Amino acid sequence: MPSTWLITGATSGFGRLVAERALAGGAHVIAVGRRGDRLAELADGAPQGQVTPVALDITAPGAQDVLAEAVRSAGSLDVLVNNAGYGLFGSVEQIDADTARSIFDTNVLANLTVLRAALPALRAARGRILQTSSLIGQFAWPSSGLYSASKGSVELISEALAHELAPTGVKVTIIEPGTYATEFSTSLHVLAPNDVYLPTVGQFLTDFAALPPEAFGDPDSVADAIMAVTELDEPPLRLAVGADAVEHIRASLRSRLAELDRWESFPRVPVGERA
């Protein structure tokens, strides 16, 4: 029996690539995105009835009910690719409250909305959950504080979820892509730094903008990794995809371990014994 996939952010980037692969494998895809025209293109290129297009802003009130109804209409759900989100770069101080709230609404709270809509059917099918994070869901660069915080939230939510769902047979994997040439990388929300942050945020953004094309990986490799991990009986909780993701996450973990080792017995003199 063909599987059913729910994919958010299915109009572009990794979401679109995964949707196309799932369809090629005979799956029924509930494709969710804001752009109805892109969803229609996806449906037009697939056999009739194989795509259920859901044009939806997943941050909108009622989004959970819309998604839950799409899942009920499909009859089952085997795989969730919780992929929708956007990038925001700028200094922590300069990002105002509304902008900060917006990225958490999309990258974190809407992620939870999708989970709540999908989990009953996923438990019934002992299904798979793929949560899209980033290499900078594990650490932060100058300028990535709010974006990294949103993806770090997804990481910890997903880790807890994996523990909570373990008895049900549902498997959770966090995908941590490196830097890839998708529409995401060309449509980042970037706030120019003021004079205070030119040496840090400004320099980072300048260096990032100067990266050559070969520094950006082929997004097909991320889609291939997502497809492959859904076939594993015991998938990893976290999967870093791309040499840069592996390198930077490893360096971050080593730095954190070194800091832990250095300060594990601090303070060495009990507070009550100080002169």
Side-chain angles (χ1 to χ4, degrees), residues 115 119 122-123 129 160-172:
L115 286 170
L119 276 168
L122 287 167
R123 286 196 300 272
I129 298 172
L161 186 67
H163 293 308
E164 293 163 2
L165 290 174
T168 73
V170 177
K171 307 292 186 182
V172 180

Side-chain angles (χ1 to χ4, degrees), residues 135 138-139 176 240 244-254:
L135 79 163
Q138 285 280 325
F139 60 91
E176 300 168 333
D244 60 335
V246 173
E247 176 187 353
H248 286 297
I249 291 172
R250 179 177 284 128
S252 174
L253 293 172
R254 284 174 172 164

